[in-house]
Amino acid sequence: MTENQFIVRLATDIDTKYANQICSEMETSAKARGTGIAKRSPDYIIKKMHESKAIIALHADGRWAGFCYVETWEDGKYVANSGLIVSPEFRKHRLAKQIKFKIFELSRKKYPEAKIFGLTTGLAVMKINSELGYEPVTYSELTDDDQFWAGCKSCVNYEILMSKERKNCLCTAMLYDPLDKEQTSKNSNNNILASIDTESLNMIIENEQ
């Protein structure tokens, strides 16, 4: 089985038939890992599809293969790519990476100035996030929105989170800050220009000698 056998695209109304299967697999996967994707109802998944805030992956034969959706907090200041799930029969085919890249692209398009963050215990997800430009951060750099943290209630580690006053838990927090990336890019360009100017000056001096 190859990556080309999957279609990874924006979820639409025609995909609502997969909502129950997606929710069921999210719950099963969370229980198997002993950590939690925030539990969501089929209606919630369908809502994300209606709003064009989800990415779905399908096998070429039409079977559901994977899913992820966008959530926003503090009026779009923060964005989370949530609920990443891949059907067990299609794992180990780099499908999670394809979905993550697509949902990240969607988030950047819809909310270009938002900070994109995530909480995860999965090493593979951390690696993909790093490739996208995320960096590990403390929980204090994430949204303060109580609704976001309430989504953790279905996680088996919720009591640990609350006992630490939402300052730490078993998940690693990662953040993509477009402003930081923009500043880093500007600094890099300035360094290149400075280097070019220095080389030009040296050439002028050498020519005059």
Side-chain angles (χ1 to χ4, degrees):
M1 193 175 295
T2 66
E3 294 179 33
N4 294 333
Q5 289 181 285
F6 299 102
I7 301 167
V8 183
R9 58 165 174 78
L10 184 70
T12 66
D13 290 347
I14 65 172
D15 301 310
T16 57
K17 59 186 177 182
Y18 300 109
N20 285 320
Q21 186 179 359
I22 291 169
C23 289
S24 177
E25 187 52 49
M26 282 181 174
E27 185 173 2
T28 300
S29 179
K31 288 179 179 178
R33 292 198 315 272
T35 57
I37 298 174
K39 189 174 182 179
R40 299 302 185 193
S41 68
D43 286 343
Y44 187 85
I45 297 302
I46 290 171
K47 179 174 180 287
K48 289 299 176 181
M49 293 176 177
H50 286 328
E51 295 173 342
S52 298
K53 292 181 179 179
I55 294 294
I56 194 167
L58 302 174
H59 187 268
D61 63 12
R63 283 177 292 167
W64 170 75
F67 187 77
C68 193
Y69 59 88
V70 175
E71 292 184 296
T72 60
W73 313 99
E74 298 184 37
D75 296 321
K77 181 180 177 181
Y78 289 90
V79 167
N81 296 159
S82 302
L84 176 63
I85 191 73
V86 174
S87 174
E89 63 180 315
F90 297 126
R91 289 172 187 170
K92 298 184 179 180
H93 294 290
R94 299 171 62 86
L95 189 53
K97 184 173 182 178
Q98 292 185 61
I99 297 171
K100 279 289 290 183
F101 272 67
K102 280 286 187 180
I103 198 72
F104 181 79
E105 179 184 320
L106 178 64
S107 299
R108 294 285 292 129
K109 182 178 179 180
K110 281 184 168 290
Y111 307 98
E113 297 181 3
K115 295 180 179 180
I116 306 174
F117 72 97
L119 289 170
T120 183
T121 57
L123 185 60
V125 174
M126 293 180 203
K127 183 177 179 181
I128 296 170
N129 284 347
S130 295
E131 290 182 33
L132 289 168
Y134 287 69
E135 296 181 359
V137 295
T138 62
Y139 281 32
S140 63
E141 294 189 55
L142 307 182
T143 179
D144 290 327
D145 196 312
D146 289 334
Q147 282 191 316
F148 167 74
W149 296 104
C152 295
K153 287 182 179 179
S154 58
C155 177
V156 296
N157 298 315
Y158 184 67
E159 289 186 8
I160 297 175
L161 175 69
M162 297 310 293
S163 69
K164 296 186 177 183
E165 299 178 338
R166 299 193 323 204
K167 294 178 181 178
N168 197 9
C169 196
L170 300 187
C171 285
T172 296
M174 301 189 77
L175 180 78
Y176 176 93
D177 188 340
L179 295 181
D180 279 352
K181 298 301 177 184
E182 183 179 337
Q183 186 60 49
T184 299
S185 178
K186 286 181 180 179
N187 291 340
S188 178
N189 289 337
N190 288 337
N191 290 337
I192 292 172
L193 290 173
S195 176
I196 293 174
D197 288 342
T198 300
E199 291 176 4
S200 299
L201 179 59
N202 288 337
M203 289 178 63
I204 293 171
I205 293 173
E206 288 176 0
N207 290 334
E208 289 180 349
Q209 288 178 343

